[in-house]
Amino acid sequence: MGSGFIGSYWILSVLVIIAGFLLVVWAVVRVVRRVNLRSDDGVSQDPAIRILKERYAHGEIDREEYLQRMQDLRD
Protein backbone atom coordinates (compact mmCIF):
# COMPACT_ATOMS: atom_id res chain seq x y z
CA MET A 1 0.00 0.00 0.00
CA GLY A 2 1.25 3.42 -0.88
CA SER A 3 4.45 2.26 -2.53
CA GLY A 4 3.72 4.09 -5.83
CA PHE A 5 4.69 7.77 -5.71
CA ILE A 6 5.98 7.79 -2.15
CA GLY A 7 8.17 4.78 -2.82
CA SER A 8 9.86 6.55 -5.74
CA TYR A 9 10.01 9.90 -3.94
CA TRP A 10 13.38 9.00 -2.42
CA ILE A 11 14.88 8.87 -5.94
CA LEU A 12 13.72 12.42 -6.58
CA SER A 13 15.15 13.51 -3.21
CA VAL A 14 18.53 11.98 -4.01
CA LEU A 15 18.57 13.66 -7.43
CA VAL A 16 17.77 17.04 -5.88
CA ILE A 17 20.56 16.62 -3.33
CA ILE A 18 23.04 15.65 -6.05
CA ALA A 19 21.97 18.62 -8.19
CA GLY A 20 22.42 20.95 -5.22
CA PHE A 21 25.87 19.54 -4.52
CA LEU A 22 26.89 19.96 -8.16
CA LEU A 23 25.59 23.53 -8.12
CA VAL A 24 27.73 24.35 -5.08
CA VAL A 25 30.82 22.78 -6.69
CA TRP A 26 30.19 24.73 -9.91
CA ALA A 27 29.85 28.00 -7.98
CA VAL A 28 33.08 27.39 -6.04
CA VAL A 29 34.98 26.63 -9.26
CA ARG A 30 33.70 29.85 -10.84
CA VAL A 31 34.75 31.94 -7.85
CA VAL A 32 38.22 30.37 -7.76
CA ARG A 33 38.70 30.98 -11.49
CA ARG A 34 37.66 34.62 -11.14
CA VAL A 35 40.08 35.15 -8.27
CA ASN A 36 42.89 33.57 -10.31
CA LEU A 37 42.06 35.75 -13.32
CA ARG A 38 42.09 38.88 -11.18
CA SER A 39 45.46 38.04 -9.69
CA ASP A 40 46.88 37.42 -13.18
CA ASP A 41 45.40 40.69 -14.43
CA GLY A 42 46.97 42.57 -11.53
CA VAL A 43 50.43 41.97 -12.92
CA SER A 44 49.52 42.73 -16.51
CA GLN A 45 47.66 45.91 -15.50
CA ASP A 46 50.92 47.48 -14.39
CA PRO A 47 51.31 50.25 -16.98
CA ALA A 48 55.07 49.76 -17.34
CA ILE A 49 54.71 46.03 -18.03
CA ARG A 50 51.82 46.65 -20.43
CA ILE A 51 53.86 49.22 -22.38
CA LEU A 52 56.89 46.95 -22.41
CA LYS A 53 54.79 44.09 -23.82
CA GLU A 54 53.34 46.40 -26.47
CA ARG A 55 56.79 47.64 -27.52
CA TYR A 56 58.02 44.06 -27.81
CA ALA A 57 54.92 43.04 -29.77
CA HIS A 58 55.42 45.94 -32.21
CA GLY A 59 59.08 45.03 -32.71
CA GLU A 60 60.43 48.21 -31.16
CA ILE A 61 62.72 46.22 -28.83
CA ASP A 62 64.38 42.84 -29.23
CA ARG A 63 63.97 39.78 -27.01
CA GLU A 64 67.07 40.40 -24.92
CA GLU A 65 66.07 43.95 -24.11
CA TYR A 66 62.51 42.83 -23.36
CA LEU A 67 63.68 40.12 -20.94
CA GLN A 68 66.16 42.44 -19.24
CA ARG A 69 63.61 45.22 -18.73
CA MET A 70 60.98 42.72 -17.56
CA GLN A 71 63.44 41.42 -14.99
CA ASP A 72 64.22 44.98 -13.89
CA LEU A 73 60.53 45.79 -13.47
CA ARG A 74 59.85 42.67 -11.40
CA ASP A 75 62.78 43.31 -9.03
Side-chain angles (χ1 to χ4, degrees), residues 2 6 11 19 29 32 34-35 39 41-43 45-48 56-57 64 66 68-69 75:
I6 294 176
I11 295 172
V29 168
V32 168
R34 281 189 181 181
V35 168
S39 66
D41 287 346
V43 172
Q45 291 300 326
D46 181 10
Y56 181 62
E64 292 80 25
Y66 170 77
Q68 180 59 47
R69 289 185 182 207
D75 288 339

Side-chain angles (χ1 to χ4, degrees), residues 6-68:
I6 294 176
S8 62
Y9 182 70
W10 70 271
I11 295 172
L12 181 61
S13 298
V14 170
L15 291 176
V16 168
I17 291 171
I18 291 172
F21 177 75
L22 291 175
L23 182 64
V24 168
V25 169
W26 174 79
V28 168
V29 168
R30 270 186 70 108
V31 167
V32 168
R33 284 186 180 169
R34 281 189 181 181
V35 168
N36 287 340
L37 288 175
R38 285 183 186 162
S39 66
D40 291 344
D41 287 346
V43 172
S44 63
Q45 291 300 326
D46 181 10
I49 292 176
R50 183 181 50 79
I51 291 169
L52 182 61
K53 286 180 178 181
E54 288 175 5
R55 290 187 63 201
Y56 181 62
H58 292 143
E60 296 174 16
I61 58 175
D62 61 3
R63 185 175 191 275
E64 292 80 25
E65 185 176 356
Y66 170 77
L67 292 175
Q68 180 59 47

